[in-house]
Amino acid sequence: KKRPREPSSPPPSRKKTKTASSSTKRASASTSTAGLTVLGKHLLVEQILKRWKYCLPSWPQGVKKEAPEGYITCGFQGLFIGVQSDTLGNILDMRDKKNGQPPIRSVLLQLDSAELREILSKGIDAQREDLMKSKLSESASSHAETLALLDSDAKTLKGFKPLKLEKEFKAFLKKKGKL
């Protein structure tokens, strides 16, 4: 049975809203989803992070792998958690932050859109090359699906105009008072 609507409540909205995933088809346009603004530059960064293994150099490099006395590794190279009474709960970060940057969103957003576009282009090419070398049968549906997705991402990437993305991003930062 349907419950009658409260007289004071507004009718349910039937208007469709755009999602961030639909905005990937419109490479340089920004959209707003539930108060979240998604810019073309954000989409570039998202695509890079989805395939970080192919786009970015490994980080950190040359890190101490063995835990110091009183610490255990926590799953990330160079990051340790204290487990003895004098180190209990302490976090020891021995990653080299001077030689390389962590592959995280905030660091990538500092790069120019043209550089991000180049990084992503190389990453898509490297991922495609790795797929072609893989042991998967070329007749496997997952192989064909992945190739189709890579082709689609490469096509979308061509639509990204770095100068337009930078202008859009700077206007966004200015509006937010961060520029």
Side-chain angles (χ1 to χ4, degrees):
K1 259 184 170 179
K2 287 186 180 179
R3 279 184 26 206
R5 248 185 330 141
E6 298 286 326
S8 62
S9 65
S13 175
R14 301 212 189 276
K15 184 179 177 184
K16 287 188 175 182
T17 58
K18 293 185 180 200
T19 63
S21 61
S22 69
S23 64
T24 57
K25 294 176 183 168
R26 297 179 319 132
S28 63
S30 66
T31 60
S32 183
T33 308
L36 175 69
T37 301
V38 181
L39 303 174
K41 189 168 185 176
H42 289 122
L43 297 173
L44 272 176
V45 168
E46 175 188 325
Q47 290 295 316
I48 289 169
L49 291 174
K50 282 192 335 189
R51 56 180 55 87
W52 61 269
K53 176 182 174 185
Y54 300 101
C55 295
L56 303 169
S58 64
W59 185 85
Q61 296 174 355
V63 174
K64 182 178 180 179
K65 294 183 181 184
E66 292 181 26
E69 182 71 30
Y71 289 85
I72 60 169
T73 59
C74 71
F76 298 100
Q77 280 188 344
L79 201 56
F80 308 98
I81 299 174
V83 293
Q84 291 182 350
S85 60
D86 58 335
T87 63
L88 191 61
N90 292 343
I91 296 178
L92 184 61
D93 188 351
M94 299 180 77
R95 297 173 292 186
D96 183 8
K97 294 172 196 81
K98 292 179 184 172
N99 296 317
Q101 292 289 324
I104 57 175
R105 183 178 173 271
S106 61
V107 169
L108 292 173
L109 283 173
Q110 294 173 16
L111 300 177
D112 182 75
S113 293
E115 187 176 354
L116 291 172
R117 188 173 185 262
E118 183 64 27
I119 290 169
L120 181 55
S121 177
K122 288 179 181 178
I124 289 171
D125 291 343
Q127 189 176 4
R128 183 182 286 115
E129 185 179 316
D130 195 39
L131 181 65
M132 298 310 276
K133 288 180 186 176
S134 74
K135 306 251 186 238
L136 283 175
S137 166
E138 288 187 25
S139 63
S141 64
S142 61
H143 188 273
E145 288 172 15
T146 304
L147 274 176
L149 287 171
L150 288 170
D151 290 341
S152 174
D153 287 348
K155 185 177 179 180
T156 300
L157 179 62
K158 288 180 182 178
F160 282 102
K161 306 295 182 217
L163 292 176
K164 187 174 183 178
L165 294 180
E166 278 306 304
K167 185 178 177 182
E168 175 187 64
F169 189 66
K170 286 180 182 176
F172 171 75
L173 290 178
K174 193 173 190 177
K175 182 179 176 183
K176 293 291 185 183
K178 295 183 180 182
L179 187 65

